[in-house]
């Protein structure tokens, strides 16, 4: 999809949007699409775009995933997660219906903000404000997007870790298909774990000292990756597209948490603190994700922040060993 087509689609769906940079190299921010970011290079949108989400409205019975790059609260599941407040999985309506506003803007940087009240699976209300500070740098066939992802706790009382976990969690979505994969630096197998069914058959450790995991849409799976890994990289040979995502290391006061989609009766697992995650879906899309940390005690006015850098490159793909 071309950038101009996405802008026209937003107008048709009466969804506010904002362009940072240019229609040749920039980012379209969907202010009424969960604040999602859609990277543009050479006039083309690089992220997944779901036109039905742009034209329609999500509800409890049908969630319309906009695509792009979104900011969600972590964890997803468990008794402290934010997707099961109603008893079954749904995106919190505060997230899906958020109306972001522009706080600051220049030609190459924009900050957006929205107030989003959350409810976890234990029925605890957590008033919050989400903020995304986006800055860009474009050179030739490369676009670097740096985003400071922030969730500010607006509540009036202190919350202990046993009753509330809250961390910024950013998910960048892409179309995928045959030959697509994610690679990341070698780490012991114990540093990779499945958030759903076993997916060992989808990955291997290559001679290049990188893990290669298929994201070709052949199998639904999600893996968590520990904090010893510094980056993950999506490779799509169909478009000669490489997307590398890195995230700043969190300070000791913000601990990585279990972001998994666990049933609401379960407690989050303390041994699985996720820094990066990879999701592959048979519907033909995938996600490269980065997560921040949650404090031992959350204080009124406290902000959990994570700086994430995503570098999009076209025409620079290196041939690599695929998972057999």
């Amino acid at each position: 999809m071309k950038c101009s087509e996405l802008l026209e689609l937003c107008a048709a769906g009466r969804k506010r949007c904002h362009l940072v940079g240019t229609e040749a190299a920039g980012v379209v921010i969907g202010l009424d699409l969960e604040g999602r970011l859609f990277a543009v290079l050479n006039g083309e949108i690089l992220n997944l775009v779901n036109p039905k989400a742009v034209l329609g409205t999500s509800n409890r019975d049908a969630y319309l995933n906009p695509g792009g790059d979104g900011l969600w609260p972590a964890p997803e599941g468990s008794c402290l997660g934010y997707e099961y407040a109603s008893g079954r999985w749904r995106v919190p309506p505060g997230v899906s219906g958020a109306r972001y506003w522009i706080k600051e803007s220049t030609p190459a940087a924009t900050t957006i903000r929205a107030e989003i009240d959350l409810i976890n699976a234990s029925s605890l209300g957590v008033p919050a404000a989400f903020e995304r500070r986006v800055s860009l740098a474009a050179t030739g066939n490369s676009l670097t997007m740096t985003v400071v992802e922030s969730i500010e706790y607006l509540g009036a009382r202190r919350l202990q870790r046993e009753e509330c976990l809250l961390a910024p969690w950013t998910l960048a979505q892409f179309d995928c298909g045959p030959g697509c994969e994610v690679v990341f630096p070698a780490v012991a197998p114990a540093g990779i774990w499945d958030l759903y069914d076993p997916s060992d058959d989808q990955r291997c450790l290559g001679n290049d000292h990188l893990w290669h995991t298929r994201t070709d849409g052949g199998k639904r799976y999600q893996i968590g990756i520990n904090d010893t890994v510094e980056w993950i990289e999506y490779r799509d040979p169909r478009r000669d597209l490489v997307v590398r995502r890195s995230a700043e290391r969190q300070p000791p006061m913000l601990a990585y948490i279990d972001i998994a989609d666990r049933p609401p009766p379960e407690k989050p697992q303390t041994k699985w603190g996720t820094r990066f995650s990879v999701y592959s879906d048979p519907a033909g899309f995938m996600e490269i994700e980065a997560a921040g940390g949650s404090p031992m005690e959350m204080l009124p006015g406290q902000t959990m922040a994570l700086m994430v850098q995503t570098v999009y490159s076209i025409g620079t793909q290196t041939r690599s060993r695929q998972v057999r």
Side-chain angles (χ1 to χ4, degrees):
M1 177 180 288
K2 293 188 178 299
C3 179
S4 58
E5 293 174 325
L6 177 57
L7 295 175
E8 292 170 0
L9 192 63
C10 287
R14 298 188 177 182
K15 300 294 196 303
R16 294 174 306 133
C17 63
H18 177 74
L19 176 64
V20 187
T22 69
E23 291 190 29
V27 172
V28 176
I29 303 177
L31 297 170
D32 292 336
L33 294 169
E34 301 180 15
R36 300 245 180 160
L37 313 176
F38 299 86
V40 183
L41 194 56
N42 297 335
E44 298 286 337
I45 300 292
L46 302 181
N47 296 94
L48 172 71
V49 178
N50 179 6
K52 290 183 179 180
V54 182
L55 298 174
T57 302
S58 292
N59 56 43
R60 186 183 184 188
D61 297 319
Y63 172 63
L64 302 177
N65 170 32
D69 176 343
L71 171 60
W72 275 13
E76 178 173 3
S78 82
C79 62
L80 300 183
Y82 296 99
E83 313 301 316
Y84 290 94
S86 65
R88 61 185 175 97
W89 190 94
R90 69 166 181 171
V91 176
V95 172
S96 62
R99 289 179 60 83
Y100 280 81
W101 69 85
I102 297 173
K103 184 178 176 181
E104 299 175 334
S105 185
T106 69
T110 294
T111 299
I112 63 171
R113 186 176 174 88
E115 293 184 6
I116 298 175
D117 289 347
L118 303 169
I119 303 173
N120 70 16
S122 297
S123 296
L124 176 69
V126 185
F130 286 35
E131 190 167 291
R132 314 191 77 184
R133 189 164 74 240
V134 184
S135 58
L136 301 178
T139 306
N141 287 327
S142 179
L143 176 73
T144 298
M145 181 177 75
T146 302
V147 184
V148 178
E149 310 279 17
S150 301
I151 299 180
E152 180 184 357
Y153 171 52
L154 301 179
R157 72 176 182 90
R158 298 185 178 200
L159 297 178
Q160 302 302 312
R161 191 177 179 85
E162 293 76 18
E163 62 181 330
C164 179
L165 293 176
L166 181 58
W169 174 26
T170 176
L171 312 86
Q173 301 182 336
F174 301 90
D175 293 299
C176 66
C180 295
E181 64 170 354
V182 171
V183 304
F184 52 91
V187 62
I192 310 167
W193 54 89
D194 284 293
L195 278 65
Y196 295 111
D197 295 329
S199 63
D200 304 73
D201 60 337
Q202 299 300 300
R203 61 183 175 271
C204 71
L205 185 60
N207 295 329
D208 52 4
H209 304 293
L210 297 174
W211 280 101
H212 295 248
T213 184
R214 287 194 195 102
T215 54
D216 56 7
K219 179 177 181 177
R220 179 178 183 261
Y221 74 89
Q222 185 174 8
I223 56 173
I225 305 169
N226 72 14
D227 65 350
T228 64
V229 171
E230 297 295 332
W231 53 266
I232 58 177
E233 183 177 279
Y234 174 57
R235 296 177 177 178
D236 183 350
R238 305 168 307 165
R239 294 187 287 173
D240 205 2
L241 171 67
V242 174
V243 185
R244 177 173 290 201
R245 170 159 276 201
S246 58
E248 67 174 350
R249 185 174 295 278
Q250 294 287 268
M253 64 176 290
L254 295 175
Y256 293 106
I257 63 173
D258 175 15
I259 69 172
D261 183 12
R262 300 188 181 283
E266 294 186 10
K267 292 183 178 180
Q269 300 295 305
T270 57
K271 65 178 180 179
W272 286 324
T274 301
R275 185 179 186 183
F276 295 107
S277 181
V278 179
Y279 176 73
S280 181
D281 195 286
F285 78 95
M286 59 79 60
E287 300 173 349
I288 47 175
E289 309 174 0
S294 184
M296 292 299 295
E297 181 182 47
M298 196 156 58
L299 306 178
Q302 184 168 358
T303 297
M304 285 64 68
L306 175 69
M307 184 170 70
V308 179
Q309 186 176 84
T310 308
V311 181
Y312 300 83
S313 302
I314 292 178
T316 60
Q317 174 122 332
T318 58
R319 295 187 179 274
S320 61
R321 176 188 173 191
Q322 302 290 316
V323 179
R324 303 297 181 185

